[in-house]
Amino acid sequence: MAFDQDMAARIRMVLVTQDRDFEERKMFGGLCFMVKGHMAVGVSGEGQGSELMVRCGDIRAASQLDNPYARLCDFTGRIMKSILLVEKGGFETDEQLVHWVSLALDFIDTEPPKKRKPAKKKKRLAKA
């Protein structure tokens, strides 16, 4: 899993400055940041090939498609209308990154927190 470590550090800083609790998970070939149990943003690729994944819902995503660096997520082979992929040029400045992370957080705030699934119980083997 290759992802831009510097980009991940920048995302962490934005989430911390916005006073958000978050978890990090390796998924989608990169690193995703989970807020309230939901995937909010992620980063994949390295260097100039880095992309920011922004989960912001159908309406917010559609409103951002006039940005030349943003497109609907399609890496699974089908278009995901609620997730944007943003090319490196679209989040070079801190101001740009804050815009994308805030867009995701605004969407996540409309979602109910996910409930954690209880851990699976291990079956005990019967003694013979």
Side-chain angles (χ1 to χ4, degrees), residues 7-51:
M7 187 63 227
R10 288 180 63 209
I11 293 170
R12 279 184 208 104
M13 188 60 72
V14 172
L15 291 169
V16 167
T17 58
Q18 294 200 10
D19 198 27
R20 294 302 189 118
D21 292 329
F22 63 93
E23 293 179 44
E24 298 177 22
R25 288 194 193 156
K26 291 182 179 179
M27 54 196 299
F28 299 116
L31 184 67
C32 289
F33 293 84
M34 314 292 285
V35 176
K36 292 173 30 177
H38 297 279
M39 200 250 349
V41 294
V43 63
S44 62
E46 294 180 280
Q48 288 303 314
S50 294
E51 287 189 311

Side-chain angles (χ1 to χ4, degrees), residues 103-123:
L103 194 68
L105 294 175
D106 288 347
F107 173 71
I108 296 302
D109 287 342
T110 68
E111 298 286 294
K114 281 197 174 180
K115 294 181 181 174
R116 288 196 176 266
K117 294 179 183 175
K120 292 183 180 179
K121 294 181 180 179
K122 293 182 181 179
K123 293 183 181 180

